[in-house]
Amino acid sequence: MKLIIPRSLLIGTALLLVQVAYGQQFKLTQGIALTQFNYQNEQGQLVDGLKSGSGLSFQLAFHKASLVDTTQQKLEQTPFAIYLSQNAKIAKLLSLLNYDLGLQFTQMNAVGDIQNNAFSYQTDFLGVNGKFGIRIPLPWKTAINLQGIASINKIVHGNQLLMNRYEDLTQDPQFSQIKFMGGYGAEVEKRFSDKLAGYVSYQQTQTLNDQPEGQSTLNFKPTVFSVGIRFMN
């Protein structure tokens, strides 16, 4: 039986998709990740010999510029809109709060040597992240955005070079388990037009996984320096 979809439904769906897409803001970020590997042996002692390595970092995120659109609220007569109209300071604060939801690719690498044996780690992680921040306006169409960050990451490729041999890190439990990470960041933003803003950013996160007693653990602490652009509607 042939399924017949009314033309009005197709047109309505298309208009809705256009409206949703038009209402979004997107951020594209590229930078360098400097990652510190913190290895703790079975006795709970930190092992020296690991040094930070550099890698690439990419992020693509949906951006909500303000939790509350004060202009839109003024046109509404809902209880919340009335409350905000009577509490200007709260309305102003909510208008400064923002969040990101996106995807990220991070190369978390390290090098080192123990007893004259050099080694290196090269890893690629994919993940999803969320950022919650407050944007503080500054003169000359600039602003600073202070953020709290949380992410979930999974290794997709990785090798360890040790004594002229390569080991697949995707099979190593220290790397293969899902990495929960948290931290903070800041963006210094410059608005170029009504549709485009650029920014430089700094963020630092670290793994939040439990450290079971009697087992060795490996934690990651990447610091990312990047530049990005924000597409506005």
Side-chain angles (χ1 to χ4, degrees), residues 20-26 63 191 194-196 231-233:
V20 170
Y22 181 77
Q24 309 308 313
Q25 293 191 19
F26 294 95
H63 179 69
R191 189 161 182 166
D194 293 337
K195 301 293 184 180
L196 184 67
F231 301 96
M232 297 173 286
N233 47 50

Side-chain angles (χ1 to χ4, degrees), residues 151-231:
S151 67
I152 302 174
N153 304 270
K154 177 67 176 176
I155 190 172
V156 293
H157 177 265
N159 290 309
Q160 178 190 11
L161 175 61
L162 176 61
M163 299 179 65
N164 298 320
R165 292 185 57 187
Y166 284 97
E167 299 290 340
D168 183 4
L169 293 176
T170 61
Q171 305 301 317
D172 186 330
Q174 297 276 23
F175 291 84
S176 62
Q177 65 172 319
I178 293 176
K179 303 296 183 183
F180 298 94
M181 307 185 77
Y184 57 89
E187 298 174 349
V188 179
E189 182 181 275
K190 169 66 176 179
R191 189 161 182 166
F192 299 113
S193 69
D194 293 337
K195 301 293 184 180
L196 184 67
Y199 56 89
V200 295
S201 67
Y202 165 88
Q203 73 173 50
Q204 184 175 102
T205 57
Q206 63 180 22
T207 46
L208 302 176
N209 300 63
D210 293 334
Q211 299 184 3
E213 294 184 4
Q215 297 183 25
S216 61
T217 57
L218 178 63
N219 290 312
F220 303 91
K221 190 176 182 181
T223 300
V224 179
F225 301 90
S226 55
V227 296
I229 52 178
R230 177 163 66 100
F231 301 96

Side-chain angles (χ1 to χ4, degrees), residues 20-62:
V20 170
Y22 181 77
Q24 309 308 313
Q25 293 191 19
F26 294 95
K27 296 170 68 175
L28 179 63
T29 309
Q30 177 179 350
I32 297 176
L34 303 176
T35 305
Q36 179 181 346
F37 282 31
N38 295 321
Y39 179 74
Q40 185 173 288
N41 62 22
E42 292 84 351
Q43 290 74 39
Q45 300 171 329
L46 289 175
V47 177
D48 294 329
L50 287 167
K51 300 176 177 61
S52 299
S54 63
L56 297 177
S57 173
F58 298 96
Q59 296 183 13
L60 176 63
F62 155 74

